[in-house]
Amino acid sequence: MDASDRIPDSVLDDVGTVARSPAVAWLRRGAIGLLLVVVVVGFTGRLGVYSATAHASGGGYELDLEYPRVARPGLDVPWNLTVRKPGGFTEPVVIVVESDYFDIFESQGWTPEPSAETSDADRTYMTLDPPPGDTLSLGFDAYIQPSSQTGASGSASVHENGIDVVTVEFKTWVLP
């Protein structure tokens, strides 16, 4: 019986030679380096929530939106819309948001609660009573759903007489 016909004593007989090959060593070094980069980036806080602000004006309104630009599943995120109208609000304000955007969130609700709410296939229409003064603030208390794997883009508008008079657009990236 020559050496090629010999039955190995163990399934681990050739492990030492494969594990010591230069290709496997470089693969192991690369994996350790990648893991080290992820740990260092996580340690610096770069894998958390990053908010951004979007601004738009038109139709006698100014919109400022603080929203999550980058987020991770399970984390609380800001979504605060501020509507300004010089001279103040005399009529109820209709805010329109794209419904699909909010599918990535688990919601705790709107503050203040809309006095009326309706939706069509794509958008949600929220009617808010006119606030005193010239500033309306609408907050969305939410966190990213643990099952969300990708982000979403959306828009928020002030809707008057059947048209959007001013719109602010935004996009949220969800990281693993």
Side-chain angles (χ1 to χ4, degrees):
M1 174 192 274
D2 64 37
S4 64
D5 293 335
R6 187 174 78 85
I7 297 173
D9 294 331
S10 168
V11 294
L12 302 176
D13 281 351
D14 67 341
V15 169
T17 58
V18 173
R20 289 188 193 115
S21 74
V24 172
W26 281 108
L27 184 63
R28 186 174 33 243
R29 289 179 192 129
I32 289 170
L34 181 62
L35 181 61
L36 183 62
V37 167
V38 170
V39 168
V40 168
V41 170
F43 184 71
T44 63
R46 299 275 183 199
L47 297 178
V49 174
Y50 285 94
S51 61
T53 303
H55 176 81
S57 59
Y61 294 92
E62 286 187 35
L63 300 180
D64 287 303
L65 176 68
E66 179 189 17
Y67 67 98
R69 180 75 178 120
V70 178
R72 292 181 49 221
L75 297 180
D76 288 331
V77 292
W79 197 95
N80 299 301
L81 180 67
T82 303
V83 181
R84 287 185 190 80
K85 182 177 184 183
F89 299 93
T90 57
E91 300 289 324
V93 181
V94 178
I95 303 293
V96 182
V97 295
E98 289 184 31
S99 302
D100 287 348
Y101 173 78
F102 292 96
D103 290 345
I104 65 173
F105 296 100
E106 286 289 332
S107 170
Q108 308 302 318
W110 294 96
T111 305
E113 286 287 328
S115 55
E117 190 173 351
T118 189
S119 64
D120 58 23
D122 301 315
R123 304 185 332 154
T124 300
Y125 299 78
M126 295 175 283
T127 303
L128 299 150
D129 294 330
D134 63 357
T135 302
L136 168 78
S137 295
L138 178 63
F140 185 60
D141 184 10
Y143 60 92
I144 302 292
Q145 286 187 15
S147 62
S148 289
Q149 301 299 312
T150 60
S153 58
S155 65
S157 305
V158 173
H159 193 76
E160 272 186 359
N161 302 318
I163 61 167
D164 296 342
V165 293
V166 61
T167 300
V168 64
E169 295 182 354
F170 45 91
K171 181 170 180 75
T172 298
W173 294 91
V174 176
L175 300 177

